[in-house]
Amino acid sequence: MSVLLESVTTEILCFFLLLLWLIYWYLTKNYDYWDRRGVPNIKPQFPFGSMRETMLSKTFFGKAHDNFYNQFPNKRFYGIVEFRRPVLVLKDPELIKRIMVKDFQSFVDRPVIMGNPKEYIMLHLLNLMGRDWKDMRTKLTPTFTSGKMKTMFALMEKCSEELRDHLETEVEKGKTIDAKHVLARFTMDIIASCAFGLDTDCLTDENSEVFKIFGGVAKTSKSRFIRRVFILIFPSVLKFLRVNLIRPELRNFVTNIVRATIDYRIKNNIKRNDFIDLMIGLRKQEEIDSKQTSDVSYGLTIEQMTAQSFVFFIAGFETASSLMSFCLYELSRHQQVQEQLYQDIQGVVDSNGGKISYQVLMEIPFLDQVLNETLRLYGSAHVLSRVCTQPYQVPDSDLIIEKGMQVVIPLFSLHHDPQYYPDPYAFKPERFTVEETKKRHPYVFMPFGEGPRNCIGMRFGLMQAKVGLATIILNFHVDLSPDQEVPIEIDKRSLALMPANPVLLNFNKRKIT
């Protein structure tokens, strides 16, 4: 009997040793990929590849890439290994321009991790590939023109008035204000209004259902971080098991809102000039066109509308609120810049009869400079990523990028490279005057990406940030709270560049002169 048990134990032990060896082989088989091709690279370490610092939450993603970037001062590109996947990182602005624009047809797709292919809410513009992406981009592009932004401005203006009133109430209480928290709720109100036509009252209602559902989407808890790491290591397991990546309550919440809103508006012939209206109009126009051309396509389905509305929320919520929070943090530290911004905004508003309008916000160059410098220092995207869709030979090189390989543009590193931005960690809006901008290569500042696959919602994101900042600076003088950490700490686990902790500021109402 003991011999039998010993035999079984040995077999189990051998099985686990074999399993461990297979996992080791699976993770390390591409560790010499770049050496074999003569490409300078960051040497991978088991089991993280080149990404040990980020996976152990020792630093944030952009800074980890910056540490790599600075090891190759005179190189156009270099290689890393993300867990087991070889990735090419580009440094040369001209090469970046070629891949983002001139040779875009070879790099159309973004890297996408999908579990259940029937999880329709994930089939949004950021995740679509090839022809599906091109068709959806073509359909949605007209909804983000400057003309459409003007029609949405009235909805943003109402939210900005509520922001001013809320801050006045908090100031009267003598409270230090967590700008990150307040601006997240303000941004949620804007997006809910402009996307769904909902008056969510997130600013005033601490128990807002919408904020409870969406507020934590961008936050990365330890368990969610570990889950993401597993997904990156074993994406094929995720696909095989058809795992849904979005919580059912979130998916159902968005779907029900979109369906109910569309049904109500069509039945009652209601127009509100928001994102849902624009998609309904697009669908009606395509129904007319399809009848005339005998095409059976009837535009966007409810599921497609839900997916696009979902990404409208996700892409615009944390990014805009973080941008405004970082901007107010820097303005609090640089009082002369804050005063100049106030004078410029007040001057343009005075010439417009004391009102903020869409056109007014387009006519404040210094506001653009301040926002651009904030985006340079704290742009939401750590990197830009593209996937090679056909074999591509790197110009002036023997290297051929294989189909399916991911190419990364290290935005944080480019935006903090002293070669392009002397004293790169200092806040200097004068870097973005027309004269200074012309001196730099255009592809060393890309907070919204570049080329055909740039951020479709760029105008909307900037507009809501401008509305929020103009409202605050016109009505309040902002100072750092003594409790605010300097420099500001960046969240080490977040996919977007965000403050790790509350942004604590003191607001004082400006005296009307």
Side-chain angles (χ1 to χ4, degrees):
M1 185 69 178
S2 61
V3 174
L4 180 62
L5 286 174
E6 184 177 333
S7 175
V8 171
T9 302
T10 302
E11 288 181 5
I12 292 173
L13 179 61
C14 289
F15 171 77
F16 277 109
L17 288 173
L18 177 61
L19 182 63
L20 289 173
W21 181 85
L22 287 173
I23 292 173
Y24 178 82
W25 172 82
Y26 174 80
L27 290 175
T28 62
K29 68 174 182 175
N30 287 323
Y31 277 14
D32 63 345
Y33 182 92
W34 294 118
D35 287 335
R36 285 186 276 117
R37 286 159 178 77
V39 174
N41 63 90
I42 300 294
K43 302 306 177 189
Q45 297 177 309
F46 178 81
F48 307 105
S50 306
M51 308 309 295
R52 181 177 182 274
E53 297 298 298
T54 54
M55 292 305 104
L56 296 179
S57 297
K58 292 183 178 294
T59 189
F60 59 93
F61 198 61
K63 190 62 179 175
H65 267 281
D66 200 42
N67 294 336
F68 303 154
Y69 181 96
N70 292 324
Q71 293 183 44
F72 304 99
N74 300 310
K75 301 297 182 182
R76 297 168 64 216
F77 53 82
Y78 57 91
I80 63 172
V81 177
E82 288 187 352
F83 289 107
R84 58 179 298 274
R85 179 181 57 194
V87 173
L88 186 70
V89 185
L90 310 180
K91 289 190 65 177
D92 176 28
E94 274 301 314
L95 179 55
I96 292 169
K97 180 179 179 180
R98 290 202 64 140
I99 282 176
M100 299 287 279
V101 181
K102 291 183 178 179
D103 298 328
F104 173 74
Q105 69 277 3
S106 297
F107 298 91
V108 174
D109 295 337
R110 283 194 175 109
V112 175
I113 293 178
M114 291 289 289
N116 185 352
K118 293 184 178 180
E119 190 179 19
Y120 61 84
I121 201 168
M122 290 293 286
L123 299 176
H124 50 68
L125 195 61
L126 290 181
N127 278 354
L128 292 176
M129 303 170 74
R131 184 71 189 181
D132 290 337
W133 165 80
K134 186 176 181 181
D135 289 346
M136 185 60 71
R137 176 86 183 204
T138 301
K139 290 175 181 178
L140 293 181
T141 294
T143 69
F144 290 98
T145 62
S146 57
K148 294 297 193 300
M149 289 303 100
K150 289 180 183 178
T151 64
M152 288 189 190
F153 181 80
L155 303 175
M156 294 187 186
E157 190 175 26
K158 180 176 180 291
C159 294
S160 72
E161 291 169 358
E162 293 170 354
L163 173 64
R164 181 198 62 214
D165 294 344
H166 176 76
L167 288 173
E168 285 180 352
T169 301
E170 295 299 299
V171 167
E172 287 174 3
K173 295 176 183 176
K175 287 185 175 181
T176 293
I177 292 172
D178 176 1
K180 179 183 172 186
H181 179 75
V182 170
L183 292 170
R185 288 178 173 274
F186 164 67
T187 307
M188 185 69 77
D189 279 341
I190 282 186
I191 295 177
S193 180
C194 292
F196 300 127
L198 297 176
D199 293 322
T200 52
D201 294 324
C202 291
L203 260 175
T204 55
D205 181 6
E206 285 291 328
N207 297 312
S208 165
E209 184 182 8
V210 173
F211 194 81
K212 284 182 177 178
I213 294 286
F214 279 100
V217 170
K219 293 182 176 64
T220 305
S221 62
K222 271 190 178 180
S223 59
R224 193 178 294 181
F225 182 74
I226 293 169
R227 181 181 179 221
R228 192 171 78 213
V229 169
F230 180 83
I231 289 169
L232 287 170
I233 299 175
F234 302 109
S236 53
V237 173
L238 187 76
K239 192 172 182 180
F240 175 76
L241 296 176
R242 295 177 172 260
V243 175
N244 289 333
L245 299 178
I246 303 299
R247 303 191 317 271
E249 62 269 24
L250 176 57
R251 181 185 64 245
N252 295 336
F253 183 79
V254 180
T255 304
N256 291 338
I257 286 178
V258 172
R259 189 182 299 278
T261 302
I262 290 172
D263 289 346
Y264 182 78
R265 292 190 189 185
I266 291 176
K267 287 177 183 176
N268 296 279
N269 196 27
I270 291 174
K271 285 191 67 67
R272 204 172 181 273
N273 291 322
D274 55 18
F275 187 59
I276 290 285
D277 263 9
L278 298 174
M279 289 198 294
I280 291 172
L282 173 65
R283 187 177 188 184
K284 286 181 178 178
Q285 183 58 49
E286 290 202 8
E287 286 177 356
I288 294 170
D289 293 344
S290 65
K291 288 175 184 176
Q292 291 173 347
T293 60
S294 301
D295 188 344
V296 296
S297 173
Y298 287 104
L300 299 182
T301 64
I302 291 294
E303 289 75 20
Q304 287 174 317
M305 288 184 179
T306 299
Q308 309 324 311
S309 298
F310 171 71
V311 78
F312 189 90
F313 246 114
I314 301 307
F317 165 51
E318 282 284 0
T319 53
S321 59
S322 291
L323 170 59
M324 287 184 281
S325 299
F326 282 127
C327 189
L328 290 175
Y329 163 80
E330 289 293 349
L331 291 175
S332 298
R333 296 181 67 216
H334 300 84
Q335 291 294 325
Q336 287 183 323
V337 176
Q338 184 178 162
E339 184 59 25
Q340 182 182 343
L341 182 59
Y342 167 69
Q343 294 294 341
D344 283 17
I345 296 173
Q346 187 66 64
V348 177
V349 169
D350 285 345
S351 67
N352 191 50
K355 289 199 66 177
I356 298 177
S357 67
Y358 177 85
Q359 195 58 42
V360 159
L361 290 178
M362 295 296 104
E363 296 173 358
I364 311 174
F366 193 60
L367 176 56
D368 288 320
Q369 289 174 225
V370 167
L371 278 171
N372 282 337
E373 178 66 346
T374 307
L375 285 165
R376 182 190 71 80
L377 282 168
Y378 307 105
S380 293
H382 301 272
V383 301
L384 293 174
S385 300
R386 297 290 184 267
V387 174
C388 186
T389 53
Q390 56 191 18
Y392 177 85
Q393 180 160 2
V394 176
D396 304 316
S397 164
D398 295 330
L399 178 65
I400 293 177
I401 303 176
E402 298 177 329
K403 181 179 178 180
M405 173 164 288
Q406 185 176 333
V407 172
V408 160
I409 294 129
L411 283 188
F412 183 90
S413 302
L414 289 168
H415 291 176
H416 292 78
D417 189 332
Q419 177 184 353
Y420 310 121
Y421 302 99
D423 196 8
Y425 288 89
F427 181 72
K428 297 180 178 181
E430 60 270 23
R431 300 182 204 269
F432 287 93
T433 62
V434 174
E435 297 75 21
E436 288 299 314
T437 300
K438 284 180 179 177
K439 295 177 184 178
R440 289 189 299 270
H441 195 290
Y443 283 74
V444 297
F445 180 65
M446 299 176 288
F448 296 98
E450 283 293 344
R453 196 143 191 175
N454 68 347
C455 176
I456 193 173
M458 176 179 67
R459 283 192 181 95
F460 183 88
L462 285 174
M463 180 53 57
Q464 63 179 335
K466 286 183 177 183
V467 169
L469 288 172
T471 299
I472 291 171
I473 296 302
L474 274 176
N475 293 281
F476 303 93
H477 183 272
V478 188
D479 293 295
L480 283 183
S481 164
D483 297 324
Q484 173 58 43
E485 60 194 4
V486 178
I488 200 165
E489 186 179 348
I490 305 302
D491 190 331
K492 295 181 177 66
R493 292 197 295 260
S494 174
L495 290 174
L497 196 147
M498 296 164 46
N501 303 309
V503 179
L504 302 175
L505 304 176
N506 292 324
F507 287 67
N508 295 292
K509 190 158 176 58
R510 291 186 184 271
K511 295 179 181 178
I512 299 175
T513 57

